[in-house]
Amino acid sequence: MYEPIRTKSVHSTLARTPSDFPHRSREEELDIQLAGHLAALLAVTDELRALTPSDELDVAAERLAGQLTRLRGSASPVRAAASTPTSRVDALHQRAHALAGRALVVAASRADTAAAILSAERMDAHAGTAVA
């Protein structure tokens, strides 16, 4: 019924030492997650700016871009253009609120005070128009 395995494990033959595989630290993984959430929030903020221009959104977009530049090194973030003029502003505010919440969780996990404060401010800014 049961036949024993006659060959060595693929994992033991490919991985001679643990250093054969590139591994990222927890900090690096959290940096990547945080940068992704902030980049998505920046894209939504840029789209909101195109549909409902305001000085507050301009400042928020610049602060988000600054945080992304800090997290990614010297690479400046890609900026989004408005997708369609028929986008619902309320839906964008809801999305921005959710993205800011995700960014806040990751920023808190990695003890990044600047990113956490910015994320919390963006949550507050979008909370009035976001319906949970």
Side-chain angles (χ1 to χ4, degrees):
M1 287 209 292
Y2 172 75
E3 184 175 337
I5 298 172
R6 295 181 184 164
T7 60
K8 287 187 175 183
S9 168
V10 174
H11 301 290
S12 65
T13 58
L14 290 179
R16 292 184 192 103
T17 63
S19 63
D20 285 349
F21 294 104
H23 294 284
R24 289 188 286 250
S25 69
R26 182 175 186 275
E27 275 300 309
E28 291 169 325
E29 288 294 334
L30 289 173
D31 283 348
I32 291 166
Q33 282 183 12
L34 181 58
H37 292 314
L38 291 177
L41 181 57
L42 177 59
V44 172
T45 301
D46 281 342
E47 194 162 348
L48 278 168
R49 286 175 56 221
L51 295 173
T52 57
S54 77
D55 291 337
E56 179 195 359
L57 288 174
D58 292 342
V59 171
E62 289 308 313
R63 290 182 63 200
L64 288 166
Q67 287 296 318
L68 279 168
T69 300
R70 179 182 63 87
L71 287 168
R72 291 182 176 165
S74 63
S76 60
V78 175
R79 304 298 294 266
S83 58
T84 62
T86 60
S87 294
R88 290 188 40 226
V89 174
D90 291 342
L92 289 173
H93 280 293
Q94 289 174 357
R95 179 153 171 75
H97 186 266
L99 288 166
R102 290 183 191 127
L104 178 60
V105 169
V106 177
S109 294
R110 63 182 302 276
D112 187 335
T113 306
I117 290 170
L118 177 59
S119 299
E121 288 173 357
R122 297 317 311 148
M123 280 186 73
D124 287 344
H126 297 290
T129 54
V131 179

